[in-house]
Amino acid sequence: MAHSEKTLDSQLIFEGRVIRVTLDKVLLENGNTSSREVVHHHGGACIMPVTDDDEIYMVRQFRYALGEEMWELPAGKLEAGEDPFAAAKRELEEECGLTADEYTSLGVLYPTVGYDSEKIYIWIARGLHATGQHLDPDEFLDVHKVPFEKALAMVEDNTIRDSKTIAGILRYALMRKGQ
């Protein structure tokens, strides 16, 4: 049996630059009603640049909401209606100063399914070419080349805690295993 809920009413609680929050009244399968707080987000695009020597480019940046510096794959938020693949290629060049000859999809990640509509699209980039990094004015990060096996160990020892980065690295590990 497929499960669902029907929206009966939706009230805008907050609208900002990155998110919109609604308080929704829903009809449940059993006929009762309940409320749902929903964070609406345009989503994001993530890219894992892989060198011919099986190193991956990663970034280190401070994340205010968590109050700490994080290891991450290059990524960025989507603008309303923006193509995720175009955004991933944009982030590759903006954050790492790279373009690529070949891209492979690693699928879509839903980071917080209980209350957030965000979807993050993930790609691998190969056949890398240096162009020039051009960060946004409010963006500060360092770029590092990490051997893939070391990045995998960083997932295992909890050095990497970012969900999109973990998903990208583990999906790539499974892909390599199947080759």
Side-chain angles (χ1 to χ4, degrees), residues 72-162:
E72 299 177 53
L73 291 174
K77 66 178 174 49
L78 300 176
E79 300 302 326
E82 184 178 18
D83 176 62
F85 182 53
K89 292 192 293 187
R90 178 193 71 227
E91 292 300 324
L92 177 64
E93 190 163 14
E94 281 183 9
E95 293 189 2
C96 295
L98 299 169
T99 59
D101 294 329
E102 178 187 340
Y103 298 90
T104 305
S105 175
L106 287 177
V108 182
L109 169 70
Y110 297 2
T112 314
V113 298
Y115 60 86
D116 191 341
S117 69
E118 182 179 18
K119 297 176 184 179
I120 301 175
Y121 302 82
I122 308 171
W123 281 270
I124 296 170
R126 292 190 184 97
L128 304 174
H129 306 281
T131 57
Q133 183 186 52
H134 48 96
L135 300 173
D136 293 334
D138 61 351
E139 192 171 30
F140 306 94
L141 55 84
D142 295 319
V143 179
H144 300 268
K145 266 198 284 189
V146 179
F148 179 74
E149 293 301 327
K150 180 178 179 186
L152 193 55
M154 292 167 71
V155 169
E156 289 181 290
D157 72 13
N158 204 36
T159 300
I160 296 173
R161 293 181 297 279
D162 171 62

